[in-house]
Amino acid sequence: MREATVCLLVRGDPPTHILLGFKKAGFGAGKYAGFGGKIRPSEDVDRAAARELEEETGLRAVEEDLQPMGELRFVFPARPAWSQIVHVFLVTAWDGEPAESAEMLPGWFEVDQIPFEHMWQDGVYWLPCILARERIRARFTFAEDNETVAGVEIGAWE
Ligand code: 6U4
């Protein structure tokens, strides 16, 4: 299964705001999401996360500022090429101001106004756990329409 990263940038402790990107092109176009992408062969996971964050927002985070929060497994039985394992990072320190890129239009949201209805349907299950700083391992199985979440398993990530 292919592997990818996602970075969730937050302000406040506990988090009051989260930076999400409106995906303009590619996988998940038209949805809001965190920032990340495919891990290249021979690339470290945290290096890939920092690279994708900078490519999509212009923001630079050092690898020590990427807090590993878990692994999400997304399974699309009707579209196996979309199935992937996503490594999630919480990020509270970075350099720069978020800027629009070819792929993403970033914007800050209050944590109680996250646009879940315009995100992948799995977000409502896992994003609140990460914002609560719970490390999780989860598996989501999608229905035939590749949009509806048909199965959810969430547990602690040791
Ligand atoms: P390129 O390489 O530019 O064609 P792109 O189309 O941007 O790739 P990709 O595969 O690099 O997409 O990155 C997919 C991003 O979407 C990663 O950050 C992981 C994330 N992602 C994948 N499935 C997701 C899901 N079900 N829910 C979610 N994020 C998901 O919230």
Side-chain angles (χ1 to χ4, degrees), residues 2 5 23 26-27 36-38 74 84 86 103 120 122 126:
R2 78 191 217 207
T5 62
K23 190 91 186 273
F27 184 79
K38 294 181 198 71
F74 299 114
Q84 54 193 283
V86 178
E103 271 191 52
W120 284 102
D122 46 85
W126 65 266

Side-chain angles (χ1 to χ4, degrees), residues 51-71:
R51 174 183 54 74
E52 287 283 349
L53 176 65
E54 183 164 4
E55 285 176 9
E56 295 185 352
T57 66
L59 299 174
R60 286 173 308 280
V62 289
E63 284 150 45
E64 298 76 62
D65 288 331
L66 304 179
Q67 301 161 40
M69 297 303 292
E71 286 176 16

Side-chain angles (χ1 to χ4, degrees), residues 8-19 67 69 90-92 108-114 127-134:
L8 302 174
L9 277 67
V10 296
R11 293 199 314 234
D13 187 14
T16 56
H17 292 79
I18 181 169
L19 190 69
Q67 301 161 40
M69 297 303 292
L90 193 62
V91 186
T92 56
W108 287 103
F109 290 85
E110 293 182 26
V111 291
D112 56 4
Q113 291 181 11
I114 294 174
L127 194 48
C129 302
I130 307 296
L131 291 175
R133 295 186 181 274
E134 290 166 25

